[in-house]
């Protein structure tokens, strides 16, 4: 018995010493004190060291894109660290080419602020702002996809290019103790400066989509930041091919508003893939755009529509439609949004039709 008591005592003492050592380490080793962050040799701020660079930048009201909420999986939160970044981490290297690594590109969510830093961030990213808004309406487009309108309430106006995205902040809610950001493409007209619309699909056990689909109601306050992204309509005379599935219609809808507002005469076709007719999000609006945009065609294509439903449109996958309808030898640009799998196979089909790679633009939602 005495031996057991003695062993318990020794184990408890060791555990106590380890806990004390950890606390001291946190206090003295992990205490980096105040660190100065200088951006583009211009803007500077002092922050408490120890947080990730991404969240320290947020404190400075600088919002880098971060579709995965800082998990190191989306690769969007990049910036150039000229001084003070420490060695590159194994979690960062897969996201960069050899040239980018030599150019000091880093993932800001993986780098901790431990000393003074010098950063270089593209000016357009410095224009991203945080907006406070209220939910103006929520409309069920399908069983799993909602169209939401957010009216900006803090007196600011949002400037964005049709096709860009914002990051929506879901606050803590029962089942999710932490605030979390996710990327959503703006689906409304860029001419509207005091509100944005988003089209958000439900992802099972997804943190933000569960918040949006199960906890958010009309009149609730919400915040978002942005705009971000280089998915927008290029200024050229090329024919426009648009391809989307599901919620990928969101940025295309915004671009179609732009084409309508500017009465663009470029020939444009939108191939929209869905399973059945009831999954055709915003279909009425798309048919309306055919009347209000000079040379626009909407071509929905259904993969699981019952044979006897009376559907007279295309059947199959969007990639089948590219194969069927896209002409070779015409100057074309493609704009696509959807899952990485769809994008990969659509890029393959477009290349077969000799659409140059540099004229294929896309945002992957997965
Ligand atoms: C530039 C950009 C624009 C985007 N625009 C839109 C948009 O307009 N509308 C929209 O609905 N979404 C859009 N997304 C996707 C969006 O950012 C989220 O990834 C998605 O809503 C899931 O977030 P979540 O927090 O609910 O799920 P998470 O908590 O991030 O994920 C939970 C689990 O679901 C998996 N998962 C994540 N997304 C999907 C998915 N789409 N299908 C199946 N499994 C998934 C994850 O791997 C994880 O295992 C966009 C993404 C990017 C990068
Ligand atoms: S926020 Fe996604 S990788 Fe950094």
């Amino acid at each position: 018995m005495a031996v057991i008591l003695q062993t318990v005592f020794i184990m408890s003492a060791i555990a106590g010493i380890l806990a004390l050592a950890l606390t001291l380490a946190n206090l003295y080793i992990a205490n980096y004190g105040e660190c100065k962050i200088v951006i583009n040799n211009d803007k500077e701020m002092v922050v408490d060291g120890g947080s990730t660079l991404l969240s320290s930048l947020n404190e400075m009201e600088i919002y880098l894109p971060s579709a995965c909420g800082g998990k190191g999986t989306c690769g969007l939160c990049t910036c150039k660290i000229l001084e003070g970044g420490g060695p590159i981490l194994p979690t960062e290297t897969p996201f960069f080419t050899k040239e980018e690594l030599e150019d000091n590109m880093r993932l800001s969510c993986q780098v901790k602020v431990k000393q003074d830093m010098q950063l270089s961030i593209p000016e357009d990213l410095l224009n991203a702002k945080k907006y406070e808004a209220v939910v103006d309406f929520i409309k069920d487009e399908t069983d799993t996809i909602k169209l939401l309108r957010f009216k900006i309430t803090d007196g600011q106006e949002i400037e964005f290019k049709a096709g860009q995205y914002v990051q929506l902040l879901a606050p803590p809610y029962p089942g999710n103790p932490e605030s979390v950001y996710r990327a959503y493409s703006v689906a409304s007209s860029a001419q509207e400066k005091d509100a944005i619309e988003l089209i958000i699909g439900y992802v099972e056990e997804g943190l933000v989509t569960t918040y949006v689909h199960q906890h958010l109601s009309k009149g609730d306050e919400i915040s978002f930041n942005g705009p971000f992204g280089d998915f927008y309509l290029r200024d050229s005379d090329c024919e426009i091919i648009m391809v989307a599935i599901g919620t990928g219609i969101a940025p295309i809808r915004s671009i179609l508003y732009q084409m309508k507002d500017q009465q663009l005469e470029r020939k444009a076709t939108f191939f929209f893939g869905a399973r059945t007719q009831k999954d055709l999000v915003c279909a009425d609006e798309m048919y309306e755009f055919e009347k209000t945009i000079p040379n626009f065609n909407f071509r929905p294509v259904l993969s699981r529509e019952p044979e006897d439903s009376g559907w007279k449109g295309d059947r199959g996958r969007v990639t089948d439609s590219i194969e069927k309808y896209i002409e070779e030898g015409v100057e074309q640009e493609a704009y696509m949004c959807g899952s990485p799998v769809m994008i990969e196979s659509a890029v393959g089909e477009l290349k077969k039709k000799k659409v140059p790679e540099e004229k294929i633009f896309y945002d992957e939602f997965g």
Side-chain angles (χ1 to χ4, degrees):
M1 184 66 181
V3 176
I4 293 175
L5 279 175
Q6 201 181 10
T7 312
V8 169
F9 175 77
I10 291 170
M11 296 297 282
S12 309
I14 292 173
I17 289 165
L18 282 176
L20 184 67
L22 265 179
T23 313
L24 289 175
N26 264 336
L27 266 176
Y28 296 105
I29 301 173
N31 182 356
Y32 303 105
E34 290 189 332
C35 304
K36 187 165 80 175
I37 301 181
V38 181
I39 296 164
N40 299 350
N41 272 328
D42 174 26
K43 198 175 167 89
E44 65 176 62
M45 205 174 127
V46 174
V47 297
D48 286 332
S51 301
T52 66
L53 177 59
L54 182 67
S55 48
S56 297
L57 288 172
N58 277 358
E59 270 178 51
M60 298 169 74
E61 297 186 349
I62 291 171
Y63 305 103
L64 296 186
S66 63
C68 69
K71 284 188 277 184
T73 54
C74 70
L76 290 177
C77 62
T78 59
C79 72
K80 210 183 269 189
I81 304 185
L82 306 171
E83 265 178 50
I88 185 108
L89 302 171
T91 45
E92 298 174 79
T93 42
F95 292 95
F96 299 110
T97 60
K98 194 169 158 274
E99 291 74 31
E100 286 169 333
L101 290 172
E102 280 166 10
D103 206 19
N104 300 310
M105 293 300 287
R106 304 289 299 266
L107 283 188
S108 65
C109 72
Q110 300 298 298
V111 177
K112 272 204 173 168
V113 179
K114 299 179 178 175
Q115 54 189 306
D116 292 352
M117 288 177 134
Q118 288 271 0
L119 313 179
S120 166
I121 297 178
E123 285 299 325
D124 58 336
L125 282 184
L126 298 180
N127 294 332
K129 295 185 188 134
K130 189 169 182 188
Y131 297 87
E132 303 301 328
V134 71
V135 181
D136 202 16
F137 72 68
I138 302 181
K139 184 179 166 218
D140 286 326
E141 282 288 332
T142 71
D143 292 348
T144 55
I145 297 181
K146 289 183 191 291
L147 170 68
L148 303 104
R149 185 178 173 82
F150 301 115
K151 180 119 179 74
I152 298 170
T153 50
D154 59 12
Q156 298 185 87
E157 293 198 325
I158 185 162
E159 294 282 345
F160 65 97
K161 290 185 192 150
Q164 287 192 297
Y165 68 94
V166 296
Q167 297 187 139
L168 191 66
L169 179 70
Y173 62 89
N176 176 38
E178 285 181 2
S179 300
V180 50
Y181 279 105
R182 291 287 183 272
Y184 294 98
S185 306
V186 181
S188 44
S189 165
Q191 289 208 339
E192 273 197 90
K193 309 277 184 217
D194 62 348
I196 56 162
E197 288 173 11
L198 304 181
I199 294 174
I200 300 186
Y202 177 63
V203 171
E204 220 172 293
E205 297 188 10
L207 293 179
V208 173
T209 55
T210 299
Y211 174 70
V212 167
H213 279 253
Q214 295 175 6
H215 298 270
L216 197 63
S217 311
K218 182 174 162 41
D220 285 353
E221 289 173 358
I222 188 116
S223 61
F224 61 88
N225 60 39
F228 302 109
D230 49 15
F231 184 74
Y232 56 84
L233 191 63
R234 276 26 183 206
D235 190 10
S236 84
D237 292 330
C238 294
E239 187 179 317
I240 300 166
I241 302 162
M242 297 165 168
V243 183
I245 52 170
T247 52
I249 196 173
I252 304 290
R253 183 178 184 254
S254 186
I255 290 174
L256 290 171
Y257 273 115
Q258 175 189 347
M259 293 173 63
K260 178 184 152 196
D261 294 339
Q262 298 176 346
Q263 283 296 291
L264 276 195
E265 294 193 354
R266 290 165 66 180
K267 187 176 171 207
T269 311
F270 175 26
F271 300 103
F272 183 40
R275 277 178 304 176
T276 65
Q277 285 190 69
K278 70 176 175 45
D279 301 309
L280 283 175
V281 184
C282 303
D284 291 347
E285 279 179 280
M286 297 301 124
Y287 290 119
E288 196 55 36
F289 279 133
E290 283 195 316
K291 295 182 202 150
T292 54
I293 301 173
N295 286 311
F296 171 65
N297 271 301
F298 177 50
R299 284 211 172 270
V301 49
L302 303 180
S303 60
R304 294 202 204 152
E305 179 70 4
E307 286 301 329
D308 56 359
S309 71
W311 170 251
K312 295 200 171 50
D314 290 308
R315 290 173 184 269
R317 299 185 178 277
V318 272
T319 40
D320 302 332
S321 294
I322 296 176
E323 220 239 296
K324 185 168 164 194
Y325 293 109
I326 299 298
E327 277 178 68
E328 263 185 56
V330 179
E331 276 206 55
Q332 290 155 328
E333 269 170 12
Y335 296 87
M336 309 195 286
C337 264
S339 66
V341 175
M342 181 285 268
I343 299 283
E344 194 186 339
S345 61
V347 169
E349 287 302 324
L350 288 166
K351 281 191 189 162
K352 279 192 215 160
K353 296 283 179 176
K354 308 275 188 303
V355 179
E357 205 166 350
E358 65 278 9
K359 294 203 171 173
I360 303 177
F361 307 99
Y362 54 82
D363 261 350
E364 288 178 357
F365 281 14

